[in-house]
Structure formats: C-alpha cells, structure tokens
Amino acid sequence: MSVITFALEVFARMDVNPIVLLPLLFTLVLALVTRQTLLALLGGIVTGALLIQDFSIVTTITYLTTTASELFYADNQWQQWHLNVLAAMLMLGMMTRLFSVSGAVDSFSQWLYRRITSGRQARLGVVLLGYLVFIDGIFSCLAVGHVCRPLTRRYQISAPQLAYLVDSNASPLCSLLPISSWGPYVMALLASISFMTLPPLSAFIVVAQGNFYAMLTLLMALWLAYTGQGFQRGQQPAIAIDDTELGGSSSLGPWLLLLPMLTLLAGAVGFTLVSGMNAAPDGGITQWLASADIGVAMRNACLLALIVTLVSMVKARSGVTVMLNGVVGGIGMMLFAIGILLSTWMIGKVIDDLNVASLLAYWAEQYLSQTLLVPGLFVLCAMMAFSTGSSWGTFAIMIPIGAQISHQLDISMLLPALSAVMAGSVFGDHCSPISDTSVISASSSGCTPYEHVITQIPLALVTASGALMGFYLLNVGWSYLAAGAVAVALGFSLLQLLLWQRQRRLKSAMV
C-alpha cells in the first residue's frame, strides 16, 4: 500500500479533511523560511482561524478576538493559570534585568572566573548552573544563558554550543523532577486516568524512570561539555579577562545573584507544598504535590525572589533610577517571549478546534501494533510537539489518549507508554523552531533560533535514536534498566559516529 493510498484511507474512515493539517505545515514552513518564530505562529493562527470560519473575514476576526480574550477571562472567571504564568515571566524578566544593571551578573562572573581556569570547567559550569535552576524550563533557559554568556568570550565557547547546553539541561531535567514546575501539571494529568492503580507521585517517578530521551540528553550534554566536542570554537580568540574588564562589582559579591536564585528555588518548593496543604490538608506529600496550584506557587516564589533582589540592591547601594530601569527593561525584555507564549496558547486552541489531535489519535489506535505501541507513541508525540512547539500541550492531549490506547492494546504497557509520551513530547519540543524554550535559549545565549535549532537537531536525533531503541525493548518485555543501558550504549555510539563524520568533513574542508 502506497503512502498516498494509506493516507486517503485514513482520512476517508475518519471523515476528516486533510486540509486541517495546513496551518501546522504553514507554520513550520514559515518558521524555516523566514526564521521568524512569532511571525510563523501568527501565520498558523490566522490560517487555522480562516479554515475554522470558512474563510469569512468578519467571523475570523471575531473568532481570533474571542480566542485571545479567553486566554485571560472565560466562563465568567479569570484564567488564573495564564495570568500567573505571565506574571511569573514578567517578574523573572525584571530579576534578570536587575541582575544585569546592578552588577550581580558581573560579580557572579568574577566569582566564577576566579574559580574557573579552563574551557572544560566553563562548559561544566553551564551544566551545573542549569541543575541549580531546575525549577522551571523557561527560567532556566533565560537565566543560565544570560549568566554564562560572558564565558563564551574568554573560553571560545560558541553561542550555539552555549544554547545547546542551556536548552539540554532545562526541559529534559524538568520532565524528570516532580518538584519542578512540570511535576504537579503532569501528576494532575496522571491522576485523571481512572484505571491508574498507582498514586500520582509514584506514577510520575515510574514514568520518569522510563523517559530515556530526557536522561540520555542530560548525559550527552554533560559528556559534550566535558569533552568540548560537537561544536566549532567561538570566533573570538581566547583571552584573559581581569576584574576591571568584567565591569563593576557589588559589595555583596556573588550573593547578589545567588541569594535571589536560592530564594526562588526554596520559595517554589515551599509555596508548592503550602498550596497543596491548603487544598488537601489531610493528605501526605504526594497529595500535596498533586493538589498544588503551581501557577500560584510560581508567581509567589518569583515575587518573593524579586523582593529579595530589590532589597539586596538597596543593601548594595544601588540607586532608585537603576532599579526602575531594571524593572522597566525587564518588562521590555520579556515582551517577545510573552508574545511567543500567547501565540503558542492560541495556536493550541486553533489546532484543538480543527480536531487535528483526533486524526493523530485515530491513526495510533488503528494502525499501531501491540509490539510497536511504545515506540510508536514516542514518534507520534514527537511529531505533535515539533509541530506545535509545545511539550505541555502534547502532554495534555496525548497522556489521556496514550493511556486509553495502551489500556485497549496492552494494559501492562501503560506506564512505559506514558514514558514514551513524555519523552516524545520533550524531544519534539527540543527540536522545534517554534518552541518557546528554543527561542529563549538562543536569544539568551547570543545566537538566532535558526542557528540553535539546526545545530541541535543532529544531536537530538542521535539521542532520540537511542531512546527509540530503548522504548522498543521495553515494549517487548525488557526491564527499565536493561532497555535504558542499551539506549545509552546506542546513543553514545551514534554520537561518536556523528562526531567522527563532522571531524572528517572539517579536515576535508581545510585541505
């Protein structure tokens, strides 16, 4: 059976017009051609809205206006999740800008420079800082890129290499940790599965245990940071930088940066637990994490960290004008990222109204064999996340669908199937040119989203190949440990082959 015949048969059985895929394809093509993520998202949103409204200009405008307004107010109530996330992003932007204008970044850089003596230590420092700010993927991409960007000049770390290290230690790490901003969201989705026998936290831990893509990505990023392989060196020559060249230093030293970041980390964990305790006072920590309002917890943690930042600046004798410039500049700095996020939410609603998810779910349910259930879901979720640029949106759609499919085909594969959903969503989002984390990682590291994506995709594909083999082995009955070991071995073998080919190509170009 040819691919075209197969596709037409699927569409005929589903009574779905294949034109519903047009907005997704248009968004991807526009992103790759123009290299303008926001423009591509807006193009996809308008195209989808025109399809939904049968190309009526008046009703399309009404639909877009209503969809945009419902991001903030719908069903006679404010949409607290969206508002809290936007508030948290604005405050993180303010903190980031305040770190810059107050000398906190310079002081922290000086503190790092006194302890870092080689490019290897600099690259590993990027990775370890990503571990420190694991609480949220977007914040990790934003903070680590800006803080570590001065290292690129001293140790010839290219901007795409920095962006890769930043991005690879953000979302993949968050997807494995229940106390990150991802944890409660995913646990809430797991709790909604009626035939799930494990508590949400226990299910999350088992699902994370099988998230081969995220674990392999973290290992590869650590290895590439240690070896320095995989990327060309920065264009600027390596030079020694003394304290005066790094800029002004704060009297608080590195604590002007570390204290707010540690406050953010402790506040996020603390406010999450408090929120869960208020919602489920008789439950234990599992119930608290599952019941917590992570949006409120993030907002409050960011507010507390912002206050600590401002108080620290007062302590360091920063002027009022400097602080006002930092606050206003931080808001301006986040406007583009907020535009991306709002557009991502809107295109998610458009895709939902076009019923694209049903098309993909039907294909999975009808044509995935039992032995290909887990790897098939990995590939399907990767396609969805790559197309939408949203791992969270793919979680929301595919965790319930993946659970239902595995329940029908093989209930013993429920948790491995959900691991594949999580891994595929992170993989697709990791490679997508319209992903918010891709855009923020690139901008904070000093390169364009296009440069970041085209240099990251080969490494991500190598990682995904190892993960795909691991999921197949899980599907045929191998243990998590054995399947994971094979995934790691295959992934690193393919990585070395890729690096060897790059080195050979480079030598040929020099001859």
Side-chain angles (χ1 to χ4, degrees), residues 116-171:
I116 290 178
T117 59
S118 67
R120 173 176 294 172
Q121 291 181 7
R123 294 187 299 269
L124 291 175
V126 176
V127 174
L128 294 177
L129 188 58
Y131 295 168
L132 176 65
V133 292
F134 66 86
I135 199 67
D136 180 70
I138 291 177
F139 173 68
S140 178
C141 293
L142 190 65
V144 177
H146 279 293
V147 169
C148 296
R149 195 165 169 181
L151 296 174
T152 62
R153 180 165 173 243
R154 184 178 188 183
Y155 293 108
Q156 291 186 291
I157 302 172
S158 67
Q161 183 177 23
L162 177 61
Y164 169 77
L165 295 176
V166 168
D167 202 2
S168 297
N169 291 284
S171 296

Side-chain angles (χ1 to χ4, degrees), residues 425-450:
S425 301
V426 174
F427 167 48
D429 178 78
H430 204 202
C431 296
S432 177
I434 59 175
S435 166
D436 49 7
T437 51
S438 296
V439 173
I440 293 172
S441 297
S443 61
S444 67
S445 300
C447 64
T448 66
Y450 177 79

Side-chain angles (χ1 to χ4, degrees), residues 102-124:
S102 67
V105 174
D106 291 333
S107 295
F108 188 76
S109 296
Q110 290 184 28
W111 183 78
L112 280 178
Y113 282 126
R114 296 189 189 103
R115 289 156 178 80
I116 290 178
T117 59
S118 67
R120 173 176 294 172
Q121 291 181 7
R123 294 187 299 269
L124 291 175

Side-chain angles (χ1 to χ4, degrees), residues 196-441:
M196 178 73 72
T197 57
L198 293 176
L201 179 58
S202 300
F204 182 95
I205 293 173
V206 176
V207 169
Q209 179 182 332
N211 191 342
F212 297 142
Y213 178 78
M215 291 188 287
L216 193 49
T217 297
L218 293 173
L219 288 174
M220 283 196 176
L222 186 62
W223 173 253
L224 292 175
Y226 179 79
T227 61
Q229 296 176 306
F231 294 86
Q232 293 183 354
R233 296 171 70 86
Q235 295 181 351
Q236 294 178 319
I239 58 175
I241 301 177
D242 58 31
D243 290 353
T244 58
E245 289 182 274
L246 288 171
S249 176
S250 164
S251 60
L252 295 180
W255 292 107
L256 188 55
L257 177 70
L258 287 177
L259 188 59
M261 291 178 68
L262 293 174
T263 300
L264 179 68
L265 180 61
V269 175
F271 284 121
T272 297
L273 292 176
V274 169
S275 174
M277 291 170 65
N278 290 334
D282 297 328
I285 188 171
T286 302
Q287 188 64 33
W288 295 339
L289 288 172
S291 304
D293 188 333
I294 190 62
V296 172
M298 283 181 60
R299 181 200 65 196
N300 292 343
C302 290
L303 178 59
L304 179 60
L306 178 60
I307 292 172
V308 170
T309 303
L310 293 171
V311 171
S312 299
M313 289 180 66
V314 171
K315 184 74 173 176
R317 301 182 185 279
S318 297
V320 175
T321 302
V322 173
M323 290 189 282
L324 287 176
N325 288 339
V327 169
V328 174
I331 293 174
M333 185 178 66
M334 292 303 296
L335 290 180
F336 178 73
I338 288 175
I340 292 287
L341 188 60
L342 292 174
S343 299
T344 300
W345 286 337
M346 282 195 67
I347 201 171
K349 178 65 165 61
V350 170
I351 289 170
D352 183 57
D353 290 345
L354 286 170
N355 210 24
V356 173
S358 296
L359 172 64
L360 297 176
Y362 177 84
W363 176 83
E365 193 170 347
Q366 293 296 318
Y367 296 98
L368 276 181
S369 68
Q370 184 172 333
T371 56
L372 295 177
L373 168 64
V374 178
L377 284 174
F378 173 74
V379 173
L380 180 60
C381 291
M383 292 169 56
M384 290 184 66
F386 181 83
S387 301
T388 62
S390 173
S391 53
W392 279 34
T394 308
F395 292 160
I397 295 170
M398 289 305 299
I399 283 180
I401 292 175
Q404 288 292 338
I405 294 173
S406 60
H407 185 254
Q408 294 174 12
L409 293 181
D410 186 356
I411 189 61
S412 67
M413 288 290 106
L414 173 60
L415 293 175
L418 295 179
S419 295
V421 170
M422 291 282 292
S425 301
V426 174
F427 167 48
D429 178 78
H430 204 202
C431 296
S432 177
I434 59 175
S435 166
D436 49 7
T437 51
S438 296
V439 173
I440 293 172
S441 297

